[in-house]
Structure formats: C-alpha cells, structure tokens
Amino acid sequence: MKILTGNDLASGDVVWWAGDGWSRLLTEAIDVGDKGEEIGQREEAARHVIGAYVIDGTLTPDGPRPVHIKDRIRGIGPTVRPDLSLKPAESDIGKWVI
C-alpha cells in the first residue's frame, strides 16, 4: 500500500490524501498506488499542500498504518504539546500503539 502525505499549506497540519481531498485523519488515507507522485505534484501546484511525498503503508483492520515510525508519529500529531495532538475516540486508544 502507498499513502500520500504532506502538510496543509494554510495551517501546516499533517494531512493524508483521502481520494477526494486531504484529511487530518490517517484513517481516511487511501492507497494511491503508482499515482502518488502525480497527485502530490498536482496538489502542490494548486497550493493545497506542501512537501507531499509517498510512503509505504499496510492496511490493518483499523485502517492504514505507515510502515516507518516517523510517519506513524506524524499520524498521531505533535509530540511536544499533547493538548495539540489528535484525540482518538476512547475506543481507539489501544490502537495508537507506535
């Protein structure tokens, strides 16, 4: 599985390509296959996102999961201020194992 990620140009938030636009939620990321670079370039040119790049992922029962630890951490949110990180639903707490 290939996942496209980048940063929202307006807010700087980590975003994931969801097929019809960008999402802050990793669980909404889709497999971009071999189209990731093309989508990323198009979205950067349209000034929707900056620093778009394709990463390897695996599809789990809970949704996409980046293979590399760096991108798993990006999916959770900022690590220096827990109040700014994404808050998973109570039922999802155990799923956020790095």
Side-chain angles (χ1 to χ4, degrees):
M1 168 176 216
K2 298 291 184 180
I3 304 169
L4 180 61
T5 186
N7 292 86
D8 180 77
L9 193 59
S11 67
D13 290 343
V14 173
V15 289
W16 309 89
W17 182 249
D20 57 354
W22 296 93
S23 174
R24 291 182 64 217
L25 302 176
L26 173 57
T27 56
E28 294 181 357
I30 65 161
D31 184 358
V32 294
D34 62 353
K35 300 289 186 195
E37 294 293 329
E38 177 185 327
I39 296 167
Q41 289 174 356
R42 183 186 71 226
E43 290 293 303
E44 283 189 359
R47 301 188 57 80
H48 296 148
V49 69
I50 191 161
Y53 63 99
V54 178
I55 62 171
D56 290 321
T58 58
L59 187 57
T60 72
D62 300 319
R65 177 184 169 107
V67 170
H68 196 278
I69 187 83
K70 175 192 110 176
D71 296 303
R72 284 188 229 149
I73 292 169
R74 287 182 81 240
I76 295 171
T79 58
V80 294
R81 291 208 26 215
D83 60 311
L84 296 178
S85 66
L86 295 175
K87 305 293 187 265
E90 285 294 320
S91 62
D92 292 340
I93 297 292
K95 299 174 188 174
W96 289 91
V97 176
I98 295 174

